[in-house]
Amino acid sequence: MEDVIDTTRTFSIGELARLAGVSVHTLRWYEAEGLFPRDVPRTSGGRRVYAHDSLAWLALLARLRESGAPIAMLREYAALVRAGSGNEAERLALLRAHERSLDAQIETLIACRQVVSAKAGAYQEALLARGLL
């Protein structure tokens, strides 16, 4: 039997924080910074109600942050998504620019790793020559 995902399910701020692995404070901050793709609705009592797709959105934000994307870029991306269709070229340009930045970082890390590996190899050879490995 296939798992059925209830896309109509909503979450309280505490539930979403727990499921997304972030703090309630972080969710409030994300909202204040305009990092959600739409306004977060509230109950008549003022409690936030998050849509099911908020979980996937937060996973995307987490990956972008983990990859070094600045908050300003996330804010711009969220604003483009919030504006709706018609700006896909701008979204693509933003993501491609970040992709290029990541590629440059990867190249730098590869070069750094080569230096570390060469140095480690030299120590390994010295220790082998002395019979210590």
Side-chain angles (χ1 to χ4, degrees), residues 35 37-38 46 53 60 85 90 96 105 120:
L35 298 181
R38 62 186 150 301
D53 63 356
L60 172 63
S85 64
E90 290 89 347
R96 288 295 189 208
Q105 290 175 50

Side-chain angles (χ1 to χ4, degrees), residues 48-88:
R48 292 168 175 85
V49 179
Y50 295 90
H52 184 272
D53 63 356
S54 296
L55 210 47
W57 179 258
L58 290 172
L60 172 63
L61 288 184
R63 279 296 182 192
L64 289 171
R65 285 297 296 147
E66 191 174 51
S67 71
I71 293 297
M73 184 212 143
L74 299 182
R75 197 178 293 120
E76 185 178 355
Y77 183 71
L80 288 168
V81 172
R82 192 177 309 110
S85 64
N87 60 25
E88 289 81 0

